[in-house]
Amino acid sequence: MKVERAPRIALRTVALAYLFVLLLVPVGLILFRTFENGIGAFWDQVTTPASISAMALTLEIVAIVVPLNVVFGIFVALALVRGRFRGRGFMQAIVDLPFAVSPVIVGVSLVLLWGVNGWFGGLAEVGIRVIFSLPGMVLATLFVTLPFVVREVEPVLHEIGDEQEQAAATLGANGWQTFWRITLPSIRWGLAYGVVLTVARALGEFGAVSVVSNGVSGQSETLTLLVANRFEDLNLFGSYAAATVLMGFALVALVLMTVFERRSTRA
Amino acid sequence: MIAAHGIHKHYGDFHALRDVSIEIPDGSLTALLGPSGSGKSTLLRVIAGLEAPDEGVIAIAGNDVTRLAPQGRGIGFVFQHYAAFKHMTVRDNVAFGLKIRKRPKAEIASRVDELLEIVGLAGYQGRYPSQLSGGQRQRMALARALAVEPRVLLLDEPFGALDAKVREDLRKWLRRLHDEVHVTTVLVTHDQEEAMDVADRIAVMNAGRIEQVGAPRDLYDAPATEFVMSFLGPTATLGGRLVRPHDLVLSRGPAEDAVPVTVERVVHLGFEVRVELRDGDDAQLSAQTTRAEAAALDVEAGQSLFVRAERPAVAA
Ligand SMILES: Nc1ncnc2c1ncn2[C@@H]1O[C@H](COP(=O)(O)OP(=O)(O)O)[C@@H](O)[C@H]1O
Ligand SMILES: [Mg+2]
């Protein structure tokens, strides 16, 4: 399609204005508010015990969720691409469920299941707390990040086909050796991209976690909860500072994402 | 020896192999020849253990391997599309089977160099498959398969994805290689010329069955079925029988069993001359003859001649 010069410039201006108003202004405003009193004030806010605890908790959740989703994601992707079993269509559909279900609903359903009055509520009586503690937040984050690794690895598996794996088998490799030496290296960039998406989503998760956490400062408060709680407590500056830390993490993820995205499309 | 006995294979309702039995002698180079979809690859993959037969037995060197996984069969397999390990260098590709077998590093290095020398890829150790041409990739795949010293080498249309010139070079090269290393080899191809060129035995497959097995010459001269006859070379129909065009003899006068025909066209193909004929039933056929014979008869379009078959033909 050929677009005349004047309309082209108009289109570009509209697109830029749209991005500017919707993305750059809010983010820029937070950065401005965070640093308007200088780096020192920012530093004081992000090194409070509550801030440090929130960062640690968020990273802890990410550190548990990522390996689980990597193992599970590769397994499901292999089953979807290579498997020949009944119910594959059903499996395809439920993998995308987290995209369709609002995180708040995920949180509520977890409470229904694991809460004191839930199906597995008995666990709480023997001292295993799921809701209002780390396991609940991990479960919530696992749920919302479940599709990423599967959906990034699946097309790569499709593309590489299974001839290389068959060749490895004829050369004497058993299933495990074939997986480590052939399959895993072949999907590595797709997998890395899926991991980065998972990390980004896990960092930013709020809806589901806010339901299953009681948000006790310094204990069960993730970074997103910290931002929200400080905001509600009218500690606006503290809220902006925490938000900036969160954005910093996200920025790292974004950069890695771009790198892996490039590699996986090139490989 | 590789022996397949009573092999059946279904894909859903489709019967891909129907009671296939074949014996492949040690040291031979046997071609599985047939049209696309006739079950050649399926049979090769069943021998390799990449597919499980529904019925029947596969034995290699006298051992029943029917239930054995590919990695236990002592085979080398070469795929039409190379199946190169893309994330590994040429060296690591070829070394793969030896590393799996945990051979000493020094031995692996010298064996890899030796094989790359044999397949004409010396100096390419550090390259990745994406930096090789199709023919080079396939030679790398051959070296990789040969590295583990297989009892049996299985090749599934190994030159099918290459252009004509490279294909011809590689098949001559494969023949020489086979004469040197003598590994029992099964080559799948749909190209009769390729099969005749490299193989010392050919098994002709059609619709999931083996139609005939034998030396290329025997199949060409004494085809057991009409299918084998027409798949292995050009044919003409004379008096309801299939014959080879070069077995047709033209004459000016009537002879025993000769049929009257009219010459439609004379095509000079260098040493040979193709004479296109039409018989009394208005059916077309071609006779192939030499320049000298054509000159002796002084054939030209519109002429009336007689034609007979020199050798016994296959009943149509
Ligand atoms: N994995 C498969 N699933 C279903 N049908 C198959 C499969 N592999 C082969 N076939 C069918 O079996 C028949 C024989 O295939 P194949 O052995 O590949 O033929 P060839 O190698 O002689 O061209 C073909 O009709 C093909 O469509
Ligand atoms: Mg085939």
Side-chain angles (χ1 to χ4, degrees):
Chain A
M1 191 177 68
K2 193 162 185 281
V3 183
E4 294 299 322
R5 193 179 149 80
R8 201 169 60 212
I9 290 172
L11 267 177
R12 221 177 270 171
T13 313
V14 170
L16 277 178
Y18 186 81
L19 291 178
F20 187 74
V21 171
L22 279 173
L23 299 179
L24 286 182
V25 170
V27 170
L29 212 53
I30 289 205
L31 286 177
F32 174 71
R33 288 279 179 228
T34 303
F35 294 110
E36 78 185 327
N37 303 323
I39 284 279
F42 164 72
W43 188 249
D44 289 344
Q45 279 298 329
V46 299
T47 49
T48 64
S51 287
I52 289 173
S53 152
M55 279 185 247
L57 180 61
T58 296
L59 295 180
E60 192 178 354
I61 291 172
V62 168
I64 297 171
V65 163
V66 166
L68 284 174
N69 267 346
V70 163
V71 173
F72 170 84
I74 293 175
F75 190 76
V76 171
L78 277 170
L80 286 175
V81 176
R82 302 271 196 268
R84 285 192 201 130
F85 56 94
R86 281 165 162 279
R88 230 180 51 170
F90 180 68
M91 199 161 162
Q92 278 286 10
I94 61 166
V95 167
D96 285 336
L97 204 59
F99 285 147
V101 175
S102 163
V104 177
I105 300 170
V106 175
V108 170
S109 67
L110 284 175
V111 172
L112 279 177
L113 201 57
W114 299 93
V116 191
N117 298 317
W119 284 8
F120 303 136
L123 283 177
E125 277 154 38
V126 297
I128 303 173
R129 268 163 60 104
V130 174
I131 300 304
F132 297 156
S133 96
L134 184 66
M137 290 185 267
V138 167
L139 282 175
T141 312
L142 270 178
F143 189 109
V144 298
T145 57
L146 183 142
F148 293 110
V149 170
V150 181
R151 289 297 179 230
E152 289 307 317
V153 168
E154 202 188 344
V156 184
L157 279 175
H158 252 299
E159 201 192 297
I160 61 171
D162 57 1
E163 276 205 345
Q164 291 184 52
E165 290 164 10
Q166 292 179 1
T170 64
L171 290 166
N174 61 32
W176 196 238
Q177 289 168 322
T178 302
F179 176 77
W180 281 108
R181 289 165 186 258
I182 306 298
T183 316
L184 197 57
S186 305
I187 61 173
R188 64 194 187 282
W189 296 121
L191 180 63
Y193 188 49
V195 165
V196 172
L197 288 177
T198 304
V199 170
R201 184 72 182 82
L203 286 172
E205 172 47 30
F206 175 74
V209 168
S210 72
V211 177
V212 297
S213 164
N214 51 0
V216 174
S217 177
Q219 196 179 325
S220 57
E221 196 177 48
T222 63
L223 261 179
T224 51
L225 294 179
L226 180 72
V227 173
N229 291 344
R230 279 184 173 171
F231 193 77
E232 272 171 24
D233 298 344
L234 298 179
N235 174 4
L236 295 186
F237 181 59
S239 175
Y240 300 147
T244 298
V245 171
L246 197 54
M247 287 197 294
F249 286 165
L251 191 70
V252 173
L254 192 71
V255 169
L256 291 177
M257 211 145 69
T258 320
V259 172
F260 293 146
E261 157 83 298
R262 270 212 205 117
R263 298 248 178 149
S264 67
T265 49
R266 234 189 311 154
Chain B
M1 187 170 79
I2 312 170
H5 189 76
I7 302 292
H8 284 269
K9 175 73 188 176
H10 292 82
Y11 290 112
D13 291 338
F14 183 75
H15 206 162
L17 292 178
R18 303 160 182 255
D19 194 22
V20 169
S21 298
I22 185 174
E23 294 189 343
I24 291 151
D26 280 335
S28 75
L29 200 172
T30 300
L32 295 180
L33 174 67
S36 171
S38 56
K40 310 176 297 288
S41 297
T42 306
L43 177 56
L44 198 74
R45 295 168 62 81
V46 165
I47 294 173
L50 294 169
E51 301 280 355
D54 302 331
E55 266 180 66
V57 176
I58 300 288
I60 298 178
N63 304 315
D64 182 348
V65 297
T66 317
R67 303 270 158 260
L68 205 60
Q71 62 259 34
R73 295 196 181 193
I75 53 159
F77 201 102
V78 173
F79 297 79
Q80 176 169 1
H81 298 288
Y82 328 123
F85 301 143
K86 295 202 181 88
H87 60 286
M88 293 184 197
T89 58
V90 168
R91 177 189 292 113
D92 289 340
N93 264 275
V94 177
F96 186 86
L98 298 168
K99 283 188 183 161
I100 292 286
R101 285 166 179 71
K102 302 212 165 29
R103 296 280 171 76
K105 275 212 169 78
E107 184 196 319
I108 293 179
S110 69
R111 179 102 182 101
V112 168
D113 289 346
E114 180 194 339
L115 278 159
L116 289 176
E117 185 78 37
I118 293 177
V119 302
L121 287 177
Y124 287 77
Q125 277 83 340
R127 293 222 194 169
Y128 283 88
S130 59
Q131 301 168 309
L132 300 180
S133 73
Q136 290 172 331
R137 274 183 225 182
Q138 198 57 300
R139 281 183 282 149
M140 179 194 82
L142 260 162
R144 183 177 73 181
L146 288 170
V148 298
E149 290 172 2
R151 287 183 292 191
V152 174
L153 186 60
L154 306 170
L155 312 167
D156 191 356
E157 309 235 13
F159 313 133
L162 305 170
D163 55 50
K165 173 83 178 79
V166 180
R167 194 157 65 213
E168 208 165 304
D169 289 349
L170 270 185
R171 79 187 186 217
K172 296 219 158 40
W173 173 83
L174 175 70
R175 182 68 234 186
R176 283 201 303 276
L177 184 78
H178 183 263
D179 292 340
E180 276 168 36
V181 295
H182 288 303
V183 56
T184 311
T185 303
V186 184
L187 169 83
V188 161
T189 178
H190 64 265
D191 178 349
Q192 53 90 17
E193 198 185 309
E194 180 168 295
M196 305 282 266
D197 193 359
V198 297
D200 37 50
R201 290 171 83 250
I202 297 179
V204 180
M205 292 194 69
N206 180 29
R209 288 197 176 82
I210 292 186
E211 296 253 332
Q212 190 177 3
V213 185
R217 238 197 109 152
D218 296 342
L219 292 195
Y220 190 86
D221 291 340
T225 64
E226 196 184 332
F227 178 83
V228 174
M229 172 114 188
S230 50
F231 202 75
L232 258 65
T235 55
T237 311
L238 181 69
R241 300 172 143 247
L242 273 184
V243 294
R244 295 273 180 232
H246 53 73
D247 287 339
L248 290 177
V249 180
L250 296 168
S251 57
R252 290 207 162 232
E256 201 184 342
D257 290 335
V259 176
V261 287
T262 320
V263 176
E264 289 216 309
R265 207 160 92 92
V266 183
V267 187
H268 291 268
L269 304 160
F271 174 69
E272 289 170 339
V273 177
R274 188 172 78 229
V275 186
E276 293 176 4
L277 309 164
R278 195 175 283 275
D279 68 11
D281 302 329
D282 218 25
Q284 275 183 306
L285 69 160
S286 291
Q288 201 146 359
T289 175
T290 62
R291 267 174 97 106
E293 281 170 26
L297 279 171
D298 198 15
V299 272
E300 54 182 28
Q303 210 174 16
S304 289
L305 290 176
F306 291 86
V307 65
R308 66 189 164 82
E310 193 176 43
R311 276 193 285 186
V314 172

